[in-house]
Amino acid sequence: MTESVVLDPVDLHLLRLLQNDARTTYRDLAAQVGVAPSTCLDRVARLRRAGVILGHRLELDPAKLGRGLQALLSVQVRPHRRELVGPFVDRIRALAESRTVFHLTGPDDYLVHVAVADMTDLQRLVLDEFTSRREVARVETRLIFQRWECGPLLPPAAPAATP
């Protein structure tokens, strides 16, 4: 398990701002946080080195790219052995339709978020890329009607001190 990093209020403020807009300039970040731009640059660089900031991603609208239907596929793999699941995950990650793959506990082994053109495309994907694989025992499909992003990811709040 990865150790957490100690973050002070300035670090937390920087992370909130960057999660809301990763393109914010260091000058603007520094002004909003109340530190010098060089201090801001140093702090963000330290957060990157510590592995707190993993990267910057561009978010695209799947519908505008012709992939207006999104679904979650619950996949059960049998037998659930490393020599089978490694190639399975590699194949699923390589599919243009795959957005995210989660390895789970419980009755399903994987949850795969996909974006496809329409129901026909979803059916093709499930039949040709999932259920046709020998190691896939079951696939359950759930359509996504709507998705909302949540607030910035920050460490848990410290418990209140007891008197």
Side-chain angles (χ1 to χ4, degrees), residues 141-163:
T141 304
R142 290 177 178 83
L143 299 180
I144 298 173
F145 290 135
Q146 197 165 358
R147 174 179 162 253
W148 294 270
E149 288 291 327
C150 298
L153 177 64
L154 298 171
T162 55

Side-chain angles (χ1 to χ4, degrees), residues 62-81:
K64 298 244 168 65
L65 297 173
R67 296 182 182 276
L69 181 64
Q70 295 186 60
L72 296 173
L73 307 179
S74 299
V75 182
Q76 192 177 71
V77 174
R78 292 294 175 259
H80 193 199
R81 293 194 319 248

Side-chain angles (χ1 to χ4, degrees), residues 1-31:
M1 183 162 206
T2 305
E3 284 188 39
S4 62
V5 176
V6 177
L7 303 170
D8 67 18
V10 172
D11 294 329
L12 294 173
H13 197 176
L14 285 169
L15 292 173
R16 273 189 206 94
L17 293 169
L18 286 169
Q19 285 184 81
N20 288 330
D21 184 359
R23 297 180 311 160
T24 305
T25 66
Y26 287 115
R27 181 185 307 168
D28 291 342
L29 284 172

Side-chain angles (χ1 to χ4, degrees), residues 2 8 16 21 23 30 36-38 57-58 61-63 74 80 82 86 88 109 114 120-122 133 146 153 161:
T2 305
D8 67 18
R16 273 189 206 94
D21 184 359
R23 297 180 311 160
S38 60
R57 291 175 180 81
L58 180 66
D61 182 343
S74 299
H80 193 199
R82 188 174 301 276
F88 170 77
D109 300 310
V114 298
T120 302
D121 197 25
L122 179 61
R133 297 186 62 89
Q146 197 165 358
L153 177 64

Side-chain angles (χ1 to χ4, degrees), residues 17-115:
L17 293 169
L18 286 169
Q19 285 184 81
N20 288 330
D21 184 359
R23 297 180 311 160
T24 305
T25 66
Y26 287 115
R27 181 185 307 168
D28 291 342
L29 284 172
Q32 291 180 60
V33 174
V35 298
S38 60
T39 301
C40 181
L41 179 65
D42 290 344
R43 282 184 174 255
V44 171
R46 181 180 54 80
L47 292 167
R48 280 196 185 103
R49 283 192 309 275
V52 175
I53 297 175
L54 299 176
H56 304 278
R57 291 175 180 81
L58 180 66
E59 186 174 352
L60 303 175
D61 182 343
K64 298 244 168 65
L65 297 173
R67 296 182 182 276
L69 181 64
Q70 295 186 60
L72 296 173
L73 307 179
S74 299
V75 182
Q76 192 177 71
V77 174
R78 292 294 175 259
H80 193 199
R81 293 194 319 248
R82 188 174 301 276
E83 63 269 12
L84 292 176
V85 299
F88 170 77
V89 170
D90 290 344
R91 175 66 186 135
I92 299 312
R93 289 185 66 211
L95 295 172
E97 297 88 351
S98 295
R99 307 307 315 133
T100 310
V101 180
F102 298 94
H103 192 189
L104 308 172
T105 63
D108 296 317
D109 300 310
Y110 296 93
L111 184 64
V112 184
H113 175 200
V114 298

